[in-house]
Amino acid sequence: METTALVIPRLNELLVRVRRPIDMVAQAIVAGLVVLLLAEHVPALWRYVYFGGVLLVLAAQYLLHRAFLAERGRREMARALAWRRRFVIVYGLNGLLIGGMLLATLLAPRNEATMLALLCVIGMAVSGALTVAAHIGLSVAIAVPAMLPSILLMGLSGQRDDLLLALVGLVLLVLILSFAWRLNRYYTRGAALVGRLRATLRERDNASLAAQETEARLRSVLDNAPFPIVVVRRSDGAFLYSNRPAAALFGIAIGAGLLGSRLDPTHHARIFDNAGAGQEFQLITAQGAVIWATMAAVQMRYADEEAALVVVNDITARRTSEVKLREVEQRLLDAVGAVPDGVALFGPDQHLLICNQAYADIVGLTPATARGLDHAEVCEASVRARPAPAQAGVHTDYAGWVAERVRTFSEARGEPHIFYDTRDRRWLQIRDFRLSDGGTASLITDITELKNRERDLHIANTSLGQQAEVLAARTETLEAARRTAIQALQEAELANRAKSQFLAHMSHELRTPLNAIIGFSEIMAMRLLGASGVPQYDRYAGDILSAGRHLLAVIDDILDLSKVEAGKMKLHLTRLPWSQLKADCLTLVRPLAADRLVQLVAPNDMDGLPITADERLAKQMLVNLLSNAVKYTPSGGRVTLSPEIREDGGVSLVVSDTGPGMSPPDIAKALEPFGQTDTALVSQMRGTGLGLPLVKNLIELHNGSLEIDSEPGRGTIVRLHFPVEPAGPVERS
């Protein structure tokens, strides 16, 4: 890949340099000569088309070369590959034109003019293939289309002269491609070598620039460092380099040179002999101020001399802070010692920093011995200083107490930890608080008096508690019932809201892309924009259209079923003629029946019968029932649609079929949402299981009923019983 990245851009440039405009002009002149030589043997239209095509291709080559030279990004690998594809296309067209003219020349009568034209055309092919040999692909794109069709034509003619010409042409084609391949290898190796040399020089220049930049950045960092940095010569302690803070500290005159400035001899051993390295010492500055400092030195060679890079760290502020810290600590110890409760401060590592005497007395240690101990060690020492629980007459688990103390101390949320002191027989409360620096403050308070008052209050409230138990039990029962009712109401509201949101999202998110899929598939299936030319695509378009319509129907069924169950479906009642309702439903189902080879039968003896119902929902119910009957009826069967007038004046619409029928368990299962029977005859026609449940809900919305009469092997009869006047939430039109 790296070699390819070096070679292809270079070969593109080499091609443009070798294939000069003079070569294109020469090819145009030779093409004109060929047209003149074949004036009496080749039709004028072909000669004009050939010469015009040659001029167009040569113009395209010239413009392509100019555009290539003008583009700055042609050396990028992606752009280089794009340019190579363009060259192949243009030069391939050139080869096709030469090949067409060569065929025309060979088919013309043989005489001096045609033979001269033949030599000119072959010369154009050879010249073009060799001038673009920088890209072997371009040589092939010219030579093969130019010569191979003529070679095959001569070879298949069966004549001796033509066979000889075909053999000569084949040998010439092989020689051209072989020579082009050798030139391409030469060009490729040269381009790769030039690319590697350029890359090496570029890397060397980049490395040199990087080293210079690094040196400049290092000197800039040292010059702008906020602390003193100097380079000291080992032999005499002379300063060889100094930044500005060091010049101010040691009184070095940078502008006058560093040769006259030397290090104090007292520091020479500290720097070069590592004597007292890291020790804090006092240093007198050039301004006469006394500071505390430390020195860190690194042995090095500077301008071929033994030297040391010295960094001086001014720690005066830290030393001052330490003195002030000790003063503050002493004040804190005095303040904590005056507190009657036990107070202790632990660091972020849970080691004791300071504590007052009260805290030390409670844990059974002295302040000096307790300081520095881990909190867990303080707890264990406190347990050892107390008698066993059995001896104290209390039930105290000291192992559990230690574990609980470790937990509350680690959390340090101010949670009170109360325990009974078996040694002093008193109740103690411990609270831990997190400090801003990550440490912890522990406060131990004696709450014995509070516990005694709590005990007396408990005894006084015992009788009241017993009287309130019955009332509390009743109140708890009522409260539980109230909470249960509230929870049930909230769950119902959440379920209803989730269902509404689901319907809204489903309607928008599924209908919109489905309508687009159905619309585009209808265009492809009906070939409105023309035939695709591939029969499989037309069949796939029909399959997509069928699947989209089926999925849209399933979504409509789900939404309608949900609307009915949510009480949001309203009726728009009209008086429908039975003949119109029957004709509309049969029109929708008849294509499916023809597909399944099922006979549809609908008697005409009651066409004038009026039916009071919602027109859209009535059609939806009948189409669902008729579609199910047709799908589950074997080929050659019959599906019948007819009305019946009941004794109460209502109308029943009957759909019967000669299908496999259903058992009572199958009927119950089919009436459930998404329920499907598992018989072998219907296994190939599975739907979503929403048809019958939707029909049942819609007829019940009309205040009617659904009746299914079926037995295995005897077909199925489904009756929709419409009442005289349907009840429920309806709107009358």
Side-chain angles (χ1 to χ4, degrees):
M1 184 62 186
E2 182 180 358
T3 303
T4 303
L6 293 174
V7 169
I8 292 181
R10 179 63 182 165
L11 291 182
N12 287 341
E13 294 185 7
L14 189 60
L15 168 68
V16 175
R17 305 295 183 189
V18 173
R19 179 72 172 175
R20 306 297 297 169
I22 188 65
D23 299 325
M24 303 175 193
V25 173
Q27 183 178 347
I29 294 173
V30 174
L33 179 61
V34 171
V35 169
L36 293 176
L37 291 173
L38 298 178
E40 297 179 359
H41 306 289
V42 177
L45 178 61
W46 168 243
R47 288 185 285 112
Y48 295 150
V49 169
Y50 165 72
F51 189 68
V54 169
L55 294 180
L56 288 176
V57 169
L58 293 177
Q61 290 180 14
Y62 177 75
L63 295 176
L64 188 63
H65 287 195
R66 292 290 300 273
F68 174 81
L69 293 174
E71 184 182 289
R72 294 185 177 182
R74 61 180 182 267
R75 294 182 181 274
E76 299 176 2
M77 187 58 189
R79 299 297 302 162
L81 292 174
W83 279 112
R84 185 172 68 174
R85 287 192 295 269
R86 296 170 189 170
F87 289 144
V88 170
I89 293 172
V90 173
Y91 283 96
L93 292 175
N94 195 4
L96 290 174
L97 287 173
I98 295 174
M101 181 51 71
L102 186 60
L103 284 174
T105 304
L106 291 174
L107 293 175
R110 307 289 171 81
N111 54 31
E112 295 178 356
T114 56
M115 293 305 294
L116 182 59
L118 179 64
L119 292 177
C120 290
V121 174
I122 293 175
M124 282 192 292
V126 174
S127 173
L130 294 182
T131 55
V132 297
H135 276 300
I136 185 66
L138 300 185
S139 297
V140 174
I142 292 178
V144 172
M147 301 183 66
L148 188 59
S150 299
I151 293 172
L152 294 176
L153 178 65
M154 295 296 100
L156 296 176
S157 66
Q159 298 181 11
R160 181 176 179 182
D161 294 341
D162 291 344
L163 290 175
L164 183 60
L165 285 175
L167 181 60
V168 172
L170 182 61
V171 172
L172 181 60
L173 177 62
V174 172
L175 290 175
I176 292 172
L177 294 180
S178 174
F179 188 67
W181 179 71
R182 294 176 183 274
L183 286 177
N184 175 259
R185 287 187 61 191
Y186 169 76
Y187 290 147
T188 301
R189 291 175 181 175
L193 179 60
V194 170
R196 283 194 292 270
L197 289 175
R198 287 181 175 178
T200 302
L201 293 175
R202 189 162 50 251
E203 290 175 359
R204 185 173 299 173
D205 292 342
N206 292 338
S208 177
L209 290 175
Q212 294 176 4
E213 291 175 358
T214 301
E215 182 180 355
R217 283 197 298 269
L218 179 58
R219 181 170 292 276
S220 175
V221 169
L222 294 178
D223 289 341
N224 297 304
F227 43 83
I229 300 176
V230 294
V231 176
V232 181
R233 187 160 52 205
R234 184 184 183 92
S235 60
D236 55 1
F239 291 114
L240 301 178
Y241 167 79
S242 172
N243 64 356
R244 290 183 180 85
L249 177 65
F250 295 107
I252 302 173
I254 298 180
L258 301 178
L259 296 178
S261 303
R262 298 184 182 276
L263 181 70
D264 190 334
T266 58
H267 303 310
H268 192 277
R270 179 178 286 110
I271 293 174
F272 291 101
D273 299 335
N274 206 23
Q279 292 183 358
E280 300 176 359
F281 59 91
Q282 287 185 321
L283 180 66
I284 301 176
T285 66
Q287 293 77 22
V290 179
I291 63 170
W292 285 90
T294 60
M295 283 188 180
V298 178
Q299 307 296 324
M300 61 178 295
R301 293 191 66 82
Y302 188 88
D304 294 331
E305 293 184 290
E306 292 188 8
L309 177 67
V310 181
V311 178
V312 181
N313 185 20
D314 186 354
I315 61 170
T316 305
R318 180 170 65 83
R319 294 274 297 196
T320 304
S321 299
E322 289 176 354
V323 172
K324 292 181 178 180
L325 181 61
R326 284 195 292 269
E327 294 176 356
V328 171
E329 183 179 351
Q330 185 59 45
R331 293 195 188 100
L332 180 61
L333 285 173
D334 295 340
V336 169
V339 177
D341 294 334
V343 179
L345 298 179
F346 293 84
D349 57 354
Q350 297 189 357
H351 284 79
L352 183 64
L353 300 177
I354 58 173
C355 67
N356 61 359
Q357 188 62 45
Y359 186 90
D361 292 340
I362 291 173
V363 299
L365 299 171
T366 63
T369 57
R371 188 168 185 174
L373 292 179
D374 182 81
H375 175 262
E377 296 174 345
V378 173
C379 293
E380 294 173 357
S382 177
V383 170
R384 287 195 299 269
R386 282 167 171 72
Q391 300 173 5
V394 295
H395 300 284
T396 301
D397 181 10
Y398 278 148
W401 178 85
V402 172
E404 183 68 12
R405 274 298 298 134
V406 170
R407 182 188 68 81
T408 56
F409 181 84
S410 299
E411 296 177 356
R413 295 183 298 185
E415 176 184 353
H417 180 82
I418 301 174
F419 71 99
Y420 184 74
D421 183 2
T422 59
R423 183 186 63 190
D424 299 329
R425 295 185 178 277
R426 57 179 176 172
W427 288 95
L428 299 175
Q429 173 183 276
I430 305 178
R431 301 182 70 181
D432 303 302
F433 303 92
R434 186 74 67 204
L435 302 178
S436 60
D437 64 346
T440 306
S442 291
L443 178 64
I444 303 179
T445 307
D446 186 350
I447 60 170
T448 303
E449 184 177 354
L450 181 62
K451 293 292 288 184
N452 292 337
R453 291 179 182 178
E454 181 182 342
R455 181 189 60 192
D456 296 340
L457 182 61
H458 175 71
I459 294 173
N461 290 334
T462 300
S463 59
L464 292 176
Q466 292 174 352
Q467 295 175 5
E469 285 182 358
V470 176
L471 181 60
R474 294 178 181 177
T475 303
E476 184 177 0
T477 302
L478 293 176
E479 181 64 17
R482 187 182 69 84
R483 287 197 301 268
T484 303
I486 292 175
Q487 183 179 1
L489 178 61
Q490 291 175 347
E491 290 176 353
E493 290 176 351
L494 288 174
N496 188 37
R497 185 159 53 250
K499 186 174 184 179
S500 300
Q501 291 175 353
F502 169 75
L503 291 175
H505 286 294
M506 187 174 187
S507 175
H508 176 72
E509 297 296 333
L510 294 181
R511 284 176 181 267
T512 301
L514 273 178
N515 287 331
I517 292 172
I518 292 172
F520 290 138
S521 59
E522 282 180 346
I523 292 174
M524 292 188 291
M526 298 174 66
R527 306 179 184 177
L528 296 180
L529 302 179
S532 64
V534 182
Q536 291 178 337
Y537 288 172
D538 298 334
R539 188 172 68 254
Y540 292 161
D543 294 341
I544 294 172
L545 178 59
S546 176
R549 288 174 174 171
H550 174 70
L551 184 55
L552 185 60
V554 171
I555 294 171
D556 290 337
D557 288 346
I558 293 174
L559 295 177
D560 289 341
L561 185 61
S562 301
K563 287 181 180 179
V564 173
E565 292 177 350
K568 296 183 178 180
M569 180 76 76
K570 294 191 177 182
L571 298 179
H572 304 275
L573 298 179
T574 58
R575 292 178 63 82
L576 304 173
W578 166 240
S579 58
Q580 177 186 344
L581 181 61
K582 176 183 66 174
D584 292 343
C585 294
L586 292 178
T587 300
L588 295 174
V589 180
R590 190 168 282 115
L592 177 62
D595 247 1
R596 299 278 301 156
L597 300 180
V598 174
Q599 181 183 4
L600 282 177
V601 178
N604 299 325
D605 52 348
M606 299 179 69
D607 282 353
L609 179 67
I611 297 175
T612 302
D614 185 292
E615 182 178 0
R616 183 182 70 84
L617 300 182
K619 289 181 182 180
Q620 186 175 0
M621 289 187 286
L622 286 178
V623 169
N624 271 339
L625 295 179
L626 289 171
S627 299
N628 282 346
V630 171
K631 286 193 295 185
Y632 298 141
T633 299
S635 298
R638 185 176 67 257
V639 174
T640 304
L641 173 64
S642 61
E644 293 179 353
I645 300 178
R646 301 193 307 275
E647 295 179 357
D648 60 358
V651 178
S652 297
L653 303 182
V654 183
V655 178
S656 60
D657 61 60
T658 59
M662 296 183 291
S663 63
D666 289 338
I667 295 175
K669 186 174 182 181
L671 288 174
E672 296 176 356
F674 302 101
Q676 297 174 341
T677 59
D678 297 326
T679 60
L681 287 175
V682 300
S683 61
Q684 297 179 351
M685 298 299 298
R686 287 193 176 274
T688 61
L690 293 176
L692 284 178
L694 180 58
V695 172
K696 181 175 181 295
N697 286 342
L698 293 179
I699 192 61
E700 289 175 355
L701 187 63
H702 284 78
N703 202 24
S705 62
L706 174 70
E707 178 186 352
I708 300 178
D709 182 11
S710 180
E711 291 181 10
R714 298 185 60 184
T716 301
I717 299 175
V718 181
R719 290 182 173 86
L720 293 177
H721 298 305
F722 286 87
V724 178
E725 286 291 336
V730 301
E731 295 178 3
R732 303 182 181 275
S733 58

